[in-house]
């Protein structure tokens, strides 16, 4: 799967990008028709420690799924967003199976 990554207000290091790629590859095992994904990572300028925002947009045929999570670290936010995406893709797969 092709992953487009954008980091806003900071420079993402190679470890974070690799972690993101590996985690999204695991999501692809739940729904094989994923075309591409766009990931936006932002650091919000607040005094709160929960200031890392990850937004993932997955493109599948005739649909797209967008998940946004805010956590203390980018790894935690990516993990939470991917878990949510896995649930949504499984539901989508079930809907398609019932319709067929």
């Amino acid at each position: 799967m092709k992953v487009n990554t954008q980091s806003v207000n900071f420079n993402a290091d190679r470890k974070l990008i690799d972690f993101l790629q590996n985690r999204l590859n695991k999501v692809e095992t739940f729904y094989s028709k994923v075309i591409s994904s766009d990931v936006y990572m932002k650091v919000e300028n607040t005094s709160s420690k929960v200031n890392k925002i990850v937004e993932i947009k997955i493109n599948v045929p005739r649909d797209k799924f967008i998940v946004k999570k805010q956590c203390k670290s980018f790894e935690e936010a990516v993990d939470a967003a991917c878990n949510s995406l896995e649930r949504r893709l499984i539901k989508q797969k079930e809907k398609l199976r019932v319709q067929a």
Side-chain angles (χ1 to χ4, degrees), residues 1-3 28 31-37 58-63:
M1 163 181 28
K2 186 171 196 274
V3 179
E28 197 174 21
Y31 195 86
S32 61
K33 296 177 179 140
V34 175
I35 298 168
S36 67
S37 61
I58 298 267
N59 296 311
V60 296
R62 292 183 271 139
D63 211 351

Side-chain angles (χ1 to χ4, degrees), residues 8-26:
V8 182
N9 297 337
F10 78 103
N11 291 326
D13 64 335
R14 191 81 224 145
K15 274 198 317 193
L16 180 59
I17 305 256
D18 290 341
F19 175 78
L20 179 66
Q21 181 73 45
N22 289 335
R23 192 62 178 92
L24 284 172
N25 286 339
K26 289 179 187 173

Side-chain angles (χ1 to χ4, degrees), residues 42-54 68-78 80:
K42 304 173 193 165
V43 177
E44 198 174 63
N45 292 330
T46 62
S47 59
S48 173
K49 289 186 178 184
V50 184
N51 65 345
K52 314 287 191 299
I53 301 170
V54 171
K68 186 175 183 179
K69 297 290 180 183
Q70 185 169 351
C71 295
K72 289 181 182 177
S73 71
F74 282 113
E75 288 83 1
E76 186 181 354
V78 166

